[in-house]
Structures are given as C-alpha cells and as structure tokens.
Amino acid sequence: MLAVLFEMDGRLWGADALLIETVIPAVRLRPVQGAPDWIAGAFNYKGMAVPAADLSAIVCSRPSERVFSTRYMLVKMSAGGREGLVALVAERVTGVAEIDDAEIGPSAGNSFAGGVFSAGGRIAQIVEIDRLARSEAAAEILGLFYP
C-alpha cells in the first residue's frame, strides 16, 4: 500500500493513497453556519463548494493545527444515498511511504484508526478513510453540502 504520511496529535499517521483523489495545499476556508465543530469550513475547488472536515477533530478529538505543511486530502464520500468530494484537513503532511500489507499490525484504536506500521523508523497508524467515507459523519457532511 502507498500511504500519505502526516501527523496528528504528535503521532505519525498514514492514509491509503488509492482512496485519495488528490492532495492540495491548504487554502482559506469560509465558515459554515450551523455545521458541526469538526467541519473546518468550505472552499471553492474547480468551481464547486467543497466542505473541509478536520481529520484531527474526528480521529483524535482535538482540532488540527494550521501549519505550513497542512494539506487537504480530497476524497470521495458516499453515504445516505448521497455522494460528493470532501477535503480532509491533515496537518504536517510529510510525504508518502510504500508499506507491505503484511507489515501492518493490528490496532485497538477508535473506529477510524486502523493497523500500525513502521515508517522511517517511527511507528505510525493507518487512518481508515474507507470507513470514514461511509460513516455517520460522512452522511452528515454530505447532507449539508450535497442535498
């Protein structure tokens, strides 16, 4: 598996690159009235409004830091009969790593935290984007932005 590497809550994480449409630099977000706290805002991407979900708030229960290396991972989500593009805010994106699936160990993390692996001499954990893309959180964000 090719994984996009980033940090959340002082730990290294990886997301399956096959599930990510593209990674773009962070842009200024417009606030969204009435949205849950984990929705960081929305921005214009190729002529359409795209919601940005704070991955750190969803997975680690704390808002992400806005640093120079913050990026948006654009993913397709599908839930509740709706489908759309959502940006996942990822702080401190450091690069990519090739990970042998056999080297990914089990994990007892939350519902979006998957197995653990080693990258560059550090222990990292998988963020299960496929589970997130079909979750209640996905249904909520898609309901707000893709009626």
Side-chain angles (χ1 to χ4, degrees), residues 111-136:
S111 62
F112 304 122
V116 295
F117 62 95
S118 178
R122 293 178 65 189
I123 299 297
Q125 190 163 14
I126 299 289
V127 171
E128 297 288 351
I129 290 179
D130 53 343
R131 275 194 253 162
L132 176 59
R134 297 184 316 269
S135 69
E136 288 181 27

Side-chain angles (χ1 to χ4, degrees), residues 3-115:
V4 175
L5 301 176
F6 56 96
E7 290 187 19
M8 288 191 300
D9 207 22
R11 297 180 297 157
L12 187 62
W13 294 80
D16 188 345
L18 287 177
L19 302 175
I20 299 170
E21 296 288 315
T22 191
V23 178
I24 63 172
V27 296
R28 188 172 187 187
L29 297 173
R30 293 186 158 287
V32 178
Q33 295 291 344
D37 292 341
W38 51 268
I39 296 180
F43 64 100
N44 184 340
Y45 180 72
K46 296 185 178 182
M48 66 181 195
V50 174
D54 188 335
L55 196 54
S56 183
I58 294 169
V59 177
C60 300
S61 301
R62 70 148 187 88
S64 64
E65 295 178 36
R66 297 300 192 262
V67 294
F68 184 73
S69 57
T70 297
R71 300 289 182 266
Y72 299 162
M73 299 184 296
L74 299 181
V75 300
K76 284 187 181 171
M77 291 193 173
S78 178
R82 294 180 172 93
E83 188 175 89
L85 198 60
V86 175
L88 299 177
V89 178
E91 61 188 62
R92 293 182 177 86
V93 174
T94 58
V96 296
E98 185 68 41
I99 303 157
D100 184 349
D101 289 341
E103 295 177 6
I104 299 174
S107 171
N110 71 30
S111 62
F112 304 122

